[in-house]
Amino acid sequence: MEKYRDVMEQSVELVNTMVEGTGHLQLLLNEGRFEQGIMLFEDIMKAYAAIERSIAPVIEEVEGEETSSQLGKVRESLELVLTHFEKKEFGRAKEVVQFNMLPQLKKVEVECSKAFSKYLVS
């Protein structure tokens, strides 16, 4: 598991950053700053893709089924927000961010920390 240590540490940090970014996205949408929100959402999607790609082999080894399940839910929320953005349904996008995406990301944050904690304690 030592070979995955950096991946685990960086994934936990990136998920933390995604939670912060999603909170800021929510603020931008609430303020009606949709263009800036869309640009931030792009970065959040890129971060998600990096996490999903990099921790897939780690999740199998640490038996992180719950983390994997939560990541799937985040993916669904991201797709839903993207669909609403494409249709310019910003109110619906805001709802999905607030009631689905942000809570699910917070769960991923907890699950990643829990799954990786015994490998990251120095």
Side-chain angles (χ1 to χ4, degrees):
M1 287 309 290
E2 189 61 35
K3 64 183 177 180
Y4 294 125
R5 184 178 174 84
D6 285 344
V7 170
M8 289 187 275
E9 285 176 351
Q10 291 174 10
S11 294
V12 168
E13 289 175 20
L14 190 51
V15 170
N16 293 341
T17 302
M18 284 180 66
V19 169
E20 288 176 24
T22 302
H24 188 65
L25 172 63
Q26 185 177 7
L27 179 69
L28 291 174
L29 295 176
N30 285 338
E31 293 175 350
R33 296 164 54 196
F34 305 123
E35 231 175 87
Q36 291 164 321
I38 290 170
M39 291 188 308
L40 178 57
F41 181 72
E42 258 184 70
D43 292 338
I44 292 168
M45 286 179 43
K46 288 176 187 174
Y48 173 82
I51 288 171
E52 186 178 55
R53 189 175 50 249
S54 63
I55 70 170
V58 180
I59 292 295
E60 290 176 21
E61 290 204 29
V62 299
E63 298 173 9
E65 292 85 19
E66 186 60 31
T67 304
S68 184
S69 171
Q70 285 301 325
L71 279 171
K73 291 177 182 177
V74 170
R75 173 189 275 275
E76 291 171 10
S77 290
L78 287 168
E79 291 170 355
L80 200 52
V81 171
L82 181 60
T83 299
H84 290 309
F85 277 160
E86 289 172 342
K87 294 178 180 179
K88 298 194 183 326
E89 297 173 343
F90 299 113
R92 299 281 298 148
K94 186 167 62 170
E95 289 174 11
V96 174
V97 168
Q98 180 179 354
F99 297 113
N100 296 81
M101 193 171 129
L102 189 56
Q104 290 163 349
L105 272 171
K106 288 179 180 179
K107 287 179 185 175
V108 168
E109 185 176 35
V110 168
E111 290 302 321
C112 278
S113 295
K114 208 168 24 172
F116 300 157
S117 64
K118 62 183 169 186
Y119 304 103
L120 297 178
V121 175
S122 302

